[in-house]
Amino acid sequence: MTYSITEEQALSCCASKAFAAKLAAASPFADFGTLVDTARRIWWSEVGTTEWLDAFAAHPKIGDHEAVEQKPAAFAAFSKSEQAAAAESTTSAVAEELRELNKRYYDKFGFIFIIFAKGKSAPEILSYLRERYNRLPYEELQTAAREQMKITELRLGNLFGLSAEVELMQRTQRRADQVLSQLTASHAAGPLRSPITTHVLDSALGVPAMGLPLALLKYDETSKVWEKVSEGVTNEDGRVGNLLAPSNYLAPGRYRMYFDTATYLHACKKQHPNFYAEVPFYPEVNIEFVITPDKSTEHYHIPLLLSPYGYSTYRGS
């Protein structure tokens, strides 16, 4: 069986005209997996940010039922189905907070809040919206693009009556890393801990850097974007030891440690006004490193030595 898709059908799945035209032009497809792989390649490699924003703008805001009715019939049908769980679980208080936070989100990022809403309750969606509102713009754009691709895949599956297959495909990668961790855990030589840890030292004051926000990100080779894996704030010892679940296995790939040094240096300025600059010279620090398959069972300690006008790092133990 081959799978053919028209430009109009593609637009009902993703409202980027360039995306829809390219996907329709590549039709027919030998199987559904090839269709999805092609859609992913086009979305991540052949259309740009402008087309992403066009796709975002076509969606009704979560909870805006009047806007759903104004969309083209096929697009509206998909939206109603995807937001059904949210519509059934909302309350007046949740709906009001969604409206207010949706507006603040748009004012901050310049595009509406995009989330794979299928099966999510209104309170659950509101929780995601609160968390994502606090992100940096470049992080949130990547997350929104990822959510849009998940929506597109679901809708492509629905076109051909294959929604179950799509959900299975989307779970496969997440489960792979979990299974590998479980398989290797029994071989640990000692107590398990997070495969990646960090420690920030203020080399100017000679003390641990307490209260410094940071995040761990991993590069997705398929989407070509950085995805946030976890985040934390350094404790009184300048450490964050729970970035990942305890394990002696770490999925190979390219990682980034992001340090929000501006927050910490601003706090230092209040305590030492004559020593620290009003505007931090290094507002953030990003440290990238690569884990190869042959090193995936080792521990990685990524420390940061920070001063107002310099920083350094190394691989520790």
Side-chain angles (χ1 to χ4, degrees):
M1 175 181 177
T2 59
Y3 293 80
S4 298
I5 187 168
T6 66
E7 188 169 340
E8 182 179 2
Q9 288 175 317
L11 274 172
S12 71
C13 298
C14 175
S16 158
K17 293 182 179 179
F19 171 87
K22 288 176 179 289
L23 188 62
S27 182
F29 304 93
D31 51 56
F32 184 69
T34 303
L35 168 58
V36 171
D37 287 344
T38 303
R40 289 173 177 173
R41 187 190 72 245
I42 293 171
W43 180 249
W44 295 116
S45 304
E46 299 181 19
V47 299
T49 302
T50 299
E51 293 296 330
W52 288 3
L53 296 176
D54 286 345
F56 300 166
H59 287 280
K61 293 178 181 177
I62 297 292
D64 190 343
H65 305 299
E66 292 183 7
V68 173
E69 299 298 336
Q70 297 172 7
K71 300 297 178 182
F75 197 99
F78 281 138
S79 294
K80 287 180 181 178
S81 174
E82 291 155 7
Q83 295 191 28
E88 294 170 359
S89 60
T90 193
T91 64
S92 57
V94 169
E96 179 59 32
E97 188 171 356
L98 277 172
R99 280 192 293 271
E100 175 60 27
L101 201 50
N102 267 323
K103 181 180 183 303
R104 289 167 54 196
Y105 179 99
Y106 183 86
D107 290 342
K108 177 178 179 178
F109 296 110
F111 51 85
I112 72 165
F113 176 66
I114 301 295
I115 188 170
F116 183 82
K118 186 71 173 179
K120 292 182 174 67
S121 68
E124 187 178 2
I125 290 173
L126 180 57
S127 177
Y128 280 109
L129 179 52
R130 289 171 181 151
E131 188 272 328
R132 285 171 52 185
Y133 176 78
N134 293 316
R135 292 185 177 179
L136 296 172
Y138 79 90
E139 290 180 315
E140 186 55 18
L141 177 63
Q142 293 173 350
T143 299
R146 184 75 172 179
E147 293 296 296
Q148 173 61 58
M149 190 65 239
K150 288 160 62 178
I151 294 168
T152 301
E153 291 176 18
L154 177 67
R155 293 184 177 189
L156 287 171
N158 286 334
L159 280 178
F160 298 100
L162 299 171
S163 58
E165 285 83 346
V166 173
E167 292 176 9
L168 177 62
M169 290 171 64
Q170 293 180 341
R171 290 199 302 267
T172 299
Q173 188 58 52
R174 294 195 299 270
R175 284 292 300 154
D177 288 348
Q178 294 173 2
V179 169
L180 283 170
S181 291
Q182 294 166 1
L183 288 174
T184 57
S186 61
H187 300 291
L192 294 180
R193 56 177 171 170
S194 170
I196 297 176
T197 54
T198 189
H199 185 198
V200 185
L201 293 172
D202 186 327
S203 58
L205 298 177
V207 297
M210 178 181 175
L212 193 152
L214 55 85
L216 174 66
L217 302 94
K218 188 175 186 294
Y219 189 68
D220 188 301
E221 294 293 345
T222 300
S223 63
K224 307 301 181 187
V225 299
W226 288 96
E227 294 187 337
K228 183 159 64 175
V229 177
S230 65
E231 59 188 348
V233 179
T234 54
N235 61 19
E236 63 274 12
D237 294 322
R239 298 179 183 274
V240 176
N242 60 346
L243 286 171
L244 298 172
S247 175
N248 71 325
Y249 174 80
L250 179 62
R254 184 176 165 192
Y255 290 82
R256 174 187 290 170
M257 286 292 302
Y258 162 78
F259 298 89
D260 178 7
T261 50
T263 295
Y264 174 75
L265 293 173
H266 278 308
C268 290
K269 170 67 176 177
K270 293 179 180 179
Q271 296 181 9
H272 308 279
N274 297 323
F275 186 73
Y276 286 87
E278 191 69 37
V279 178
F281 189 69
Y282 291 113
E284 64 180 50
V285 172
N286 289 284
I287 299 171
E288 295 184 17
F289 53 100
V290 176
I291 308 300
T292 56
D294 61 315
K295 302 290 186 181
S296 60
T297 58
E298 298 182 11
H299 177 76
Y300 293 86
H301 186 60
I302 312 298
L304 176 68
L305 304 180
L306 177 67
S307 71
Y309 296 101
Y311 64 86
S312 62
T313 186
Y314 58 91
R315 181 189 170 183
S317 59

